[in-house]
Amino acid sequence: MISINNLNVTFGGFNLFRDISLHISEKERVALVGKNGAGKSTLLKIISGLENPTSGIVSKKSGITLGYLPQEMEHAKDKSVLDEALTAYSEYFDLKKELDHLTEQLSNRTDYQSEGYNSLLLKISELNDRLHFLDTENPTGSAERALKGLGFSRDDLTRPTSTFSEGWNMRIELAKILLRKPDLLLLDEPTNHLDIESIQWLENFLENYPGALLLISHDRRFLDNVTKRTLDLTLGRIYDYKVSFTRYHELRKERIEQQRASYENQQKMIEKTEDFIERFRYKATKSNQVQSRIKQLEKLDRIEVDEEDYSKLSVKFPPAPRSGEVVIKARDLAMSYGTKVVFENVNILIRRGERVALAGKNGEGKSTFAKLVAKEIKKTGGTLELGHNVSMGYYAQNQEDLLDKEDTVLGTLDKIAVGDVRTKLRDILGAFLFRGEDVDKKVAVLSGGERSRLAMAKLILKPHNLLLLDEPTNHMDIKSKDVLKQAMKAYNGTIVIVSHDRDFLDGLVDKVYEFRDKKVLEHIGGIRDFLEKLKREQSENLVAYTGVQVTGSSDKERSEENSYKAQKQRERAEKRKKDSIKKCEAEIEKLENSIKEMEGKIAGQTNTNLSHNFFTEYEKNKIELERKLQEWEKLH
């Protein structure tokens, strides 16, 4: 369907692509992966015809239709949401209008045997065939279901597109592309502006999509669920793996190891051969053997180890100072913008050491709650308090508004750094991939991913016991997200995170607050428990939209589910252990304080002023303290 042969792209002497060749067949589901800047978006633009390569050929099957969703694009402003989505059916509506017009002409004619009458019949037949090919029974119903699946409410459908943010307008563009049903979908980061529920809807839609798909995404779970083939774009070359993303990671590692082993063996053989040639080059009795070895080396197919880019984030959060037991407490919290109520009567309690995800559809108030906690905006009702000794590190989603575009990368940190950390600013920036001359770049010229990394670097400058993170992984590649996740798992403070990345949240959070319909619901357990609940709720809508009945679990799914249940049992046991340790530590602290106070009384008074019961209680506390210390040791 699509063939690319010997594709080269050069910018100012730099080779972005070097002789790339690949083929995409009908109905294939292909992931295009690689580091930021590897050229993934450029390749999609070349396939879609928006850019031209320096050399090489892109061949497309005759009559093929493409649907391309870029990361950024212009949006229509003059229609309602539904009307804009219905422009996906412009050909269908034009054909219907023309067919109605021709049918009316035919009904008014009586020259049944004339050439003109027969020509009109032929034209009507052609239009009917084309309409049948488009297979569009109810455009309005299909558009409404797609928009609903992507997060729009019924009331949203009549609102002008100009009243929605760029992210919501991108959803409209995505709906239009899906409704057109092109032969090949080219999607560049389609989940960037979607919440978890919309991502799950899109996954189910693509699972039953009749065409082919070439997808760029940094969402590991989305790639695994949607694609079956992985193209790895690395340092100008492309490597083709006929497997899903997770399996590709395993095979790629194996391939590199095998390649390196073969290379080392070949180098040893070459070294021995060259040594033989040098030793016996001028010895007549060995001349035939020497010439044979020389020819052997000339014909040798030299193995090259694929160059790899090992640069990745290296993040470690400073140890968290101890905070009070309660970190965030909201009671009857309410927030409105004018007459628009975001949420009301919200009660949230987050304790020290908890890892909490804020989930729900976009626009339900997750980021609003984060801004309230960060005191960026003021609440309209109820109470919201931070606990004793809480030091908060806040990562906001709108980094463009919070970073000074005229400042440099180094200057951004230098402004807020104090003490000894000022001598380590370049090391900190290096850990976030800002090296050499990069530190002197102005914020204004940084990419979205670079600004995200710079904002995260600011959090490292001083120790916090609360990390409040609003979509921290939006512009990060998969490697960087993995490193950040491990750093957060090792962090000993409290985490509150807004994210739609299910793989990032899985195993990181142990409680979910769901923002829905102006309320907030608490879900104890990880993100996978929450997603299973959502999946059950969505099943009826999915059947209605796709026409496909949800089937039972496969052997693989059952195996994964059993593994997951075992993991959850381990996690619950670990949580019970942590809770017991916390409780034991609190009791030890209380006993130590009591004993210290009693010893102060003993030191300041004669024994005759203290009762027998006092000393009995004192000894009892010491015995209990010793018991609790032993219990604490056993728990550890």
Side-chain angles (χ1 to χ4, degrees):
M1 188 166 64
I2 293 278
S3 291
I4 295 174
N5 298 296
N6 301 320
L7 198 70
N8 288 277
V9 173
T10 304
F11 295 113
F14 170 73
N15 292 321
L16 184 64
F17 300 150
R18 289 177 286 174
D19 293 323
I20 285 179
S21 296
L22 62 97
H23 178 80
I24 299 175
S25 303
E26 295 179 0
K27 298 184 179 181
E28 272 201 297
R29 304 287 198 273
V30 186
L32 180 60
V33 302
K35 286 182 66 67
N36 287 342
K40 304 185 296 295
S41 296
T42 300
L43 184 57
L44 254 60
K45 290 175 183 176
I46 290 172
I47 294 173
S48 66
L50 295 176
E51 290 188 6
N52 295 316
T54 305
S55 63
I57 299 172
V58 178
S59 303
K60 303 172 187 174
K61 181 181 176 182
S62 177
I64 187 177
T65 55
L66 304 179
Y68 171 53
L69 180 77
Q71 289 191 42
E72 297 179 1
M73 64 191 304
E74 292 294 322
H75 308 296
K77 305 291 184 184
D78 58 341
K79 294 183 176 69
S80 70
V81 170
L82 181 58
D83 287 341
E84 181 59 31
L86 285 171
T87 61
Y89 296 108
S90 56
E91 181 185 3
Y92 173 82
F93 289 129
D94 289 344
L95 289 173
K96 284 283 289 181
K97 187 176 181 180
E98 185 179 0
L99 181 62
D100 291 342
H101 176 66
L102 294 180
T103 302
E104 185 180 359
Q105 282 188 15
L106 190 68
S107 65
N108 294 328
R109 298 184 64 155
T110 56
D111 52 337
Y112 308 121
Q113 303 302 320
S114 69
E115 185 176 334
Y117 190 89
N118 288 329
S119 177
L120 199 58
L121 281 175
L122 181 62
K123 182 65 175 174
I124 290 173
S125 177
E126 290 174 352
L127 288 176
N128 275 316
D129 288 343
R130 180 59 184 165
L131 283 170
H132 180 72
F133 175 78
L134 292 176
D135 188 27
T136 306
E137 295 180 3
N138 183 4
T140 300
S142 296
E144 286 180 351
R145 285 193 292 271
L147 291 168
K148 184 176 182 293
L150 291 171
F152 289 92
S153 68
R154 183 164 294 279
D155 291 339
D156 289 336
L157 302 186
T158 55
R159 281 176 54 190
T161 58
S162 58
T163 63
F164 287 88
S165 67
E166 179 184 352
W168 283 98
N169 272 284
M170 287 297 290
R171 296 188 189 211
I172 300 172
E173 296 301 321
L174 176 58
K176 287 161 60 177
I177 290 170
L178 299 179
L179 291 168
R180 288 190 189 111
K181 297 180 182 176
D183 299 313
L184 173 62
L185 287 171
L186 303 170
L187 305 182
D188 193 347
E189 294 287 0
T191 65
N192 260 4
H193 299 283
L194 301 183
D195 49 60
I196 289 176
E197 292 185 48
S198 299
I199 291 172
Q200 291 197 153
W201 177 90
L202 181 59
E203 282 180 357
N204 282 277
F205 181 94
L206 293 175
E207 185 179 347
N208 298 282
Y209 189 73
L213 168 68
L214 180 58
L215 167 71
I216 298 173
S217 178
H218 290 149
D219 186 328
R220 184 197 302 269
R221 187 74 58 86
F222 186 70
L223 289 173
D224 272 341
N225 290 343
V226 170
T227 63
K228 303 297 181 187
R229 176 183 172 195
T230 305
L231 300 176
D232 178 13
L233 190 55
T234 300
L235 298 170
R237 295 186 175 91
I238 205 157
Y239 301 93
D240 195 348
Y241 296 81
K242 303 292 194 296
V243 292
S244 63
F245 179 80
T246 296
R247 181 61 180 146
Y248 137 78
H249 247 303
E250 299 166 357
L251 292 178
R252 183 178 187 274
K253 185 178 179 181
E254 291 174 8
R255 181 178 66 82
I256 296 296
E257 289 174 353
Q258 291 170 359
Q259 195 178 56
R260 187 172 288 112
S262 299
Y263 171 80
E264 290 172 356
N265 289 334
Q266 189 182 66
Q267 288 301 304
K268 289 177 183 177
M269 184 273 289
I270 291 171
E271 187 178 342
K272 288 181 180 178
T273 305
E274 289 176 340
D275 183 56
F276 180 90
I277 292 169
E278 287 302 314
R279 285 174 59 195
F280 301 108
R281 182 184 293 274
Y282 303 108
K283 197 166 185 176
T285 57
K286 297 283 187 178
S287 61
N288 288 338
Q289 294 179 49
V290 168
Q291 290 302 314
S292 175
R293 302 291 172 89
I294 291 173
K295 289 179 181 178
Q296 180 184 354
L297 287 182
E298 289 174 349
K299 294 178 180 179
L300 186 66
D301 186 10
R302 305 257 174 161
I303 297 170
E304 294 182 3
V305 178
D306 293 329
E307 185 182 0
E308 288 193 277
D309 187 349
Y310 289 104
S311 59
K312 64 180 182 180
L313 291 182
S314 177
V315 183
K316 184 178 181 181
F317 290 99
R322 189 176 178 85
S323 70
E325 177 64 21
V326 174
V327 176
I328 299 174
K329 185 177 182 180
R331 185 175 293 279
D332 298 327
L333 185 66
M335 185 63 199
S336 302
Y337 293 106
T339 58
K340 178 178 172 55
V341 177
V342 182
F343 50 68
E344 56 190 358
N345 299 322
V346 167
N347 294 292
I348 288 176
L349 183 65
I350 298 173
R351 291 185 168 85
R352 182 179 65 239
E354 286 189 323
R355 281 88 188 297
V356 179
L358 307 183
K361 292 181 179 180
N362 288 353
E364 293 285 353
K366 304 184 300 295
S367 293
T368 298
F369 178 76
K371 289 176 182 177
L372 286 170
V373 174
K375 298 183 179 178
E376 281 199 342
I377 56 177
K378 293 183 178 180
K379 65 186 184 303
T380 54
T383 61
L384 177 61
E385 300 171 352
L386 293 183
H388 174 67
N389 199 35
V390 170
S391 169
M392 180 173 60
Y394 176 44
Y395 178 97
Q397 189 176 161
N398 57 329
Q399 293 305 319
E400 299 226 357
D401 300 332
L402 300 178
L403 294 173
D404 185 352
K405 294 185 178 64
E406 295 305 311
D407 211 343
T408 64
V409 170
L410 181 60
T412 298
L413 297 196
D414 193 48
K415 273 185 178 179
I416 59 175
V418 293
D420 293 342
V421 76
R422 293 177 67 87
T423 64
K424 302 177 182 178
L425 294 185
R426 289 181 180 271
D427 292 336
I428 292 172
L429 288 171
F432 284 89
L433 307 185
F434 294 106
R435 301 183 178 114
E437 297 178 356
D438 290 341
V439 302
D440 297 318
K441 286 182 179 179
K442 284 198 171 184
V443 173
V445 303
L446 299 181
S447 67
E450 289 171 327
R451 291 184 190 183
S452 295
R453 298 202 305 269
L454 180 58
M456 191 64 70
K458 290 171 65 178
L459 296 182
I460 303 295
L461 293 184
K462 61 179 182 179
H464 302 286
N465 48 37
L466 169 62
L467 292 181
L468 178 62
L469 310 177
D470 191 355
E471 298 289 4
T473 65
N474 256 5
H475 300 283
M476 288 188 181
D477 59 37
I478 290 173
K479 282 185 180 179
S480 297
K481 287 195 290 188
D482 287 346
V483 174
L484 178 61
K485 180 177 178 178
Q486 292 308 311
M488 290 177 66
K489 289 177 77 170
Y491 171 67
N492 64 332
T494 305
I495 296 174
V496 178
I497 181 169
V498 180
S499 177
H500 62 254
D501 192 317
R502 297 159 297 174
D503 188 72
F504 185 75
L505 293 175
D506 194 15
L508 178 61
V509 301
D510 47 32
K511 185 162 71 171
V512 178
Y513 279 108
E514 179 190 10
F515 287 69
R516 179 195 288 192
D517 299 331
K518 303 180 178 60
K519 305 294 181 187
V520 176
L521 305 174
E522 182 184 54
H523 299 270
I524 303 299
I527 195 67
R528 198 179 296 202
D529 295 318
F530 173 69
L531 293 177
E532 283 299 317
K533 174 180 172 293
L534 280 186
K535 191 174 182 180
R536 288 192 296 271
E537 290 180 356
Q538 287 180 337
S539 61
E540 186 175 336
N541 291 335
L542 293 174
V543 173
Y545 184 76
T546 63
V548 177
Q549 185 64 42
V550 178
T551 59
S553 301
S554 64
D555 290 341
K556 180 183 176 183
E557 288 172 331
R558 282 192 292 271
S559 175
E560 289 177 349
E561 184 63 24
N562 290 335
S563 175
Y564 171 66
K565 287 178 179 178
Q567 175 65 22
K568 292 306 294 180
Q569 287 176 350
R570 289 192 293 270
E571 288 176 1
R572 283 193 289 269
E574 185 64 25
K575 189 174 187 305
R576 285 194 297 270
K577 179 180 174 182
K578 287 180 179 179
D579 290 343
S580 297
I581 290 172
K582 280 185 179 181
K583 183 180 178 183
C584 189
E585 287 174 345
E587 291 172 347
I588 288 171
E589 185 178 1
K590 184 178 178 181
L591 286 166
E592 286 176 337
N593 290 337
S594 178
I595 291 170
K596 185 177 180 182
E597 183 181 341
M598 296 177 87
E599 286 176 343
K601 290 181 179 180
I602 293 171
Q605 301 181 41
T606 63
N607 292 350
T608 56
N609 293 334
L610 298 172
S611 69
H612 175 73
N613 288 340
F614 177 88
F615 285 102
T616 301
E617 186 67 23
Y618 173 67
E619 290 299 326
K620 182 180 176 183
N621 284 349
K622 289 179 68 176
I623 293 169
E624 181 64 14
L625 176 61
E626 183 63 28
R627 192 179 70 80
K628 284 295 177 185
L629 287 171
Q630 291 176 0
E631 181 183 335
W632 184 86
E633 288 178 0
K634 286 180 181 178
L635 285 169
H636 277 277

